[in-house]
Amino acid sequence: MHKQNDDVRIHLLDASSNTLFSNLLISEKDKIESLSLSSNQIVKSGNSRVAKINTDHCTLYVISSNENYVKSSQKFKTLVSTYEASLESLYTTYMQMQETSNRNTSRLLHNVVSLNAHNIQEFFSLIPQSELMKQQQQRQIIFVENKIKNNLREVAKILLRMAKNNAAIKSEFTVFNKLIAKQQNLRIDEHNVHKVIRTVIDMFFLDLIEKEIRVNFISYTDETYGYFDFECVRVALYHILQNTVKYALNKTDLNIHLQEDHSKENILIRFEMTSLRVLENERERIFEENYSGDLAHRTGKKGGGLGLYISRQVLKLTKGELQFYPSIMCQTQKGKKMLQDEFEENNFVIILPKKLS
Amino acid sequence: MVWDWVVANKEWVLSGVGVAVIIIFKDFIVSLIKFLWNRLFGESNQKSIPVANVPPSVTNQIIIGNQSVNQDSSVPTQAPVISTQAPVIPTQANSMISMADLKKKTHILFVDDKTFKIVKTLVDEGWIHTKLVKDITTLDSPLITGNDIFFIDIQGVGTKLFHNEGIGLANIIQERYPEKKVILYSAETTGNRFDPTLRKVDAVLEKNAEPYEFIQLVEKFAREISNA
C-alpha cells in the first residue's frame, strides 16, 4: 500500500521565482503554469489537487493526485496547512544547508583548481604552448622529446612537483569524502609505517632540499607495523610535512622517530623539528579549525589554519591521534646555538594502533 | 645510588669497555638524562611523550647532507637520496614462501574498459603475470579460472552479462570461486555504496589509489592465497 505522502509533490521557488527544489512531474509543472493560482489558493484540477502558499521569502506549490486528497478537500487543506506552518523554517534550513554545502564544495573546488593550475603551468613552462601550437601532428613527440633532452634537470623537478600536486589533490578528495560528505569507506589494514611515511615524504624531498632540511629516520622498534586506513594517515602526514616545509628553520634536521608507547599497543611517529614556536596557550588551539599560530601571524606565514585540524580529524576516524609536544631540552648547548628567537624544537606525534581493534 | 655504583665500579667504568658501553648506549643515556631532567626541572604542566624508553635500533639518514642543490642543469649533481632501503624488514608470521616466489606464481587480472597504467607498474615491480582485459563476456572464460586476484572497475565492464556491471561480475567470481580475491575499484565515491555486494568483495579501492595501495593489497592477498 502506498503511503499518502508518496503521492504529494512540492515545487519551491524563491522570491525571484528561481526554483529551489522541485520533484514535480512534467505534466504537473505544466498544470501549475496553466492554472496561474493566486496566493493561498487551493483548487481541484482534473484528478489532482493543487495549492499555492506564499511567504515573504518563497512560494510553495503542493500537488497531489492521491485519491484521499482528491476526494476530501478537508484532508488536503490539513496537509497544506502543515506545509504552510513550517514553510519559513523549511526555507531557512534549506538555505543554511545550501550555504554550508556550497562553502565546502567551493573550498574543495578552489583548492583543486589552484593545484591543477600549477600542474598546467608546470607542463607549459617546459613546453611553451605557443611553440607547441606551431608543430605539425607528426612532429609533436619529437618536439617534446627535444625540449626534455635539453632540460633534463628541470624536467625531473617538474615531474616531482606535478606528483606532489597530484598527491595534494588526492588529499583534498579524501578530506572531502571522509570529513565533509561523511562517506567514510575506511579500509583498516596492516601497513608498514615506514613505507607509508615514504609514500608521502618522497613528494616533499624537493621542498626540503630547497630549505636544506635533512631528514633522519630513527627506529626504536623492529615492529613498524600498524593497523589503520592508509588514506587518513596519508592526509595527516601530508599536512604535517607541508607545515614542516612552511614553518621549519632552514638548514636544520627533521628527525622522524618510530617508537612504541608504554603499552606497546600503539606505534608513535614523532616528527622532531626546529620550527616556529608555538606559544604555551596555543598548544591545543593549533588543532582548532581556522586557528593559525601567533608566530605564524607575526612572521607573515599564516595559513588557513586547517592543516592540523584536518589531520587530527582524519586520524580520529582511523582510531589514531595527533599530539603536539614542545621541546623537552631547549636548555642544551646545541639548542642554544641553533635556535633563533622565534624557533623552537617541536614534536608532532601521530599515534596509531598496532592491533586490529 | 647510581653514584655509589659508579664509585664502586670506577675502574670498570673508566676502562675501554665502560666507555664503549657508554658510547653504545649514548642515545639511551641522553634520553634518560632528558627524562630525569624533565621530571626534576620541567614545567609541571608539560606533557611528556608517552614512549617506551628504548634506544633506537636503527638510524637511517635519508637526505640531504647540506649539499647545495645545483641549479645549473648542465652540471650533474648527486642524487639527494642516499638510502632508500626500509630500515626494518619485519617478519610476517606466515611468510613461508618468499615474496619473490609469490610474484612469479600469482596471476592478476584487471578488468577495465580503458587502459590503466598500474598494470605496467605491477609488471615492473615483478608481478609478471599481470594483465588487463577490457571485459569478460563468458562465465566459463579461462580469464576467470586462470587468475587468482581480480581488480574490477565498477563502471563499464560486465555490461553484457550483468545489469550492475562490474559489481555483478565481481559477485559471480566471488560466488563460484571463493578462494580467489576480488577487488572492486571505482572513480565514483558515492554511488553503489549501499549495494550489499560491495561489502562481499575482498576490498574496495578508489581508482585514484597510489601504486603503494595496489601493491599492498596484491602482497596481502597473494600471501593469503598461498597460505590457504
Side-chain angles (χ1 to χ4, degrees), chain B residues 39-104:
Chain B
R39 269 294 167 86
L40 293 171
F41 307 112
E43 296 163 50
S44 53
N45 62 350
Q46 192 157 305
K47 302 180 289 184
S48 69
I49 301 165
V51 289
N53 253 321
V54 181
S57 57
V58 188
T59 305
N60 183 22
Q61 204 167 78
I62 353 175
I63 24 178
I64 297 161
N66 294 330
Q67 299 171 17
S68 62
V69 179
N70 203 322
Q71 298 296 327
D72 182 359
S73 61
S74 64
V75 183
T77 54
Q78 269 188 300
V81 178
I82 291 162
S83 163
T84 53
Q85 282 277 305
V88 180
I89 296 128
T91 46
Q92 282 279 327
N94 290 319
S95 56
M96 298 296 285
I97 301 179
S98 77
M99 197 46 79
D101 289 337
L102 286 178
K103 284 180 177 183
K104 276 181 237 151

Side-chain angles (χ1 to χ4, degrees), chain A residues 153 170 183 189-191 194 209 213-217 219-220 222 225 230 234 260-262 268 280 329, chain B residues 34 45 50-52 54 57-58 60-64 69 77 87-88 90 208 210 212-213 216 220:
Chain A
R153 175 62 46 86
K170 204 186 150 201
Q183 278 149 20
D189 216 337
E190 189 185 37
H191 291 278
H194 189 271
I209 289 170
I213 289 174
R214 190 175 57 179
V215 180
N216 302 304
F217 265 100
S219 218
Y220 299 74
D222 291 341
Y225 275 78
F230 173 75
R234 199 183 146 281
E260 284 174 320
D261 68 353
H262 298 302
L268 273 60
E280 210 178 321
M329 256 182 104
Chain B
K34 275 190 186 183
N45 62 350
V51 289
V54 181
S57 57
V58 188
N60 183 22
Q61 204 167 78
I62 353 175
I63 24 178
I64 297 161
V69 179
T77 54
V88 180
N208 67 2
E210 286 171 37
Y212 166 82
E213 293 174 86
Q216 185 255 343
K220 174 182 154 181

Side-chain angles (χ1 to χ4, degrees), chain B residues 116-133:
Chain B
F116 198 26
K117 281 221 168 163
I118 185 68
V119 175
K120 180 184 179 297
T121 307
L122 282 169
V123 172
D124 291 347
E125 287 280 332
W127 300 92
I128 49 177
H129 303 295
T130 308
K131 291 196 177 62
L132 181 139
V133 291

Side-chain angles (χ1 to χ4, degrees), chain A residues 34-158:
Chain A
S34 66
L35 282 172
S36 63
L37 299 178
S38 57
S39 181
N40 302 325
Q41 194 184 355
I42 298 179
V43 295
K44 186 174 172 185
S45 157
N47 58 350
S48 55
R49 277 191 198 272
V50 188
K52 181 183 180 184
I53 310 166
N54 270 88
T55 70
D56 292 347
H57 299 105
C58 55
T59 303
L60 180 75
Y61 290 92
V62 182
I63 184 163
S64 181
S65 47
N66 181 295
E67 59 180 274
N68 284 319
Y69 293 134
V70 179
K71 275 188 200 152
S72 157
S73 74
Q74 197 49 48
K75 275 188 184 166
F76 190 65
K77 241 183 207 166
T78 315
L79 174 78
V80 171
S81 66
T82 55
Y83 275 104
E84 196 172 5
S86 53
L87 186 53
E88 270 300 294
S89 66
L90 187 80
Y91 173 79
T92 317
T93 313
Y94 176 84
M95 292 313 277
Q96 279 167 353
M97 276 167 62
Q98 201 66 358
E99 200 190 308
T100 316
S101 135
N102 285 348
R103 191 162 6 118
N104 290 329
T105 319
S106 58
R107 197 190 83 83
L108 171 76
L109 269 178
H110 168 265
N111 292 353
V112 173
V113 165
S114 88
L115 288 161
N116 192 40
H118 286 295
N119 273 350
I120 292 171
Q121 296 311 324
E122 291 288 354
F123 176 81
F124 287 121
S125 71
L126 177 74
I127 309 201
Q129 195 170 30
S130 57
E131 289 180 41
L132 191 64
M133 279 177 187
K134 291 178 198 148
Q135 304 303 315
Q136 290 174 334
Q137 188 189 350
Q138 297 85 340
R139 295 267 315 152
Q140 192 185 53
I141 293 180
I142 295 168
F143 170 72
V144 174
E145 206 176 284
N146 286 331
K147 285 283 179 193
I148 292 172
K149 271 186 202 154
N150 299 329
N151 298 283
L152 281 180
R153 175 62 46 86
E154 193 48 39
V155 173
K157 289 186 189 171
I158 286 172

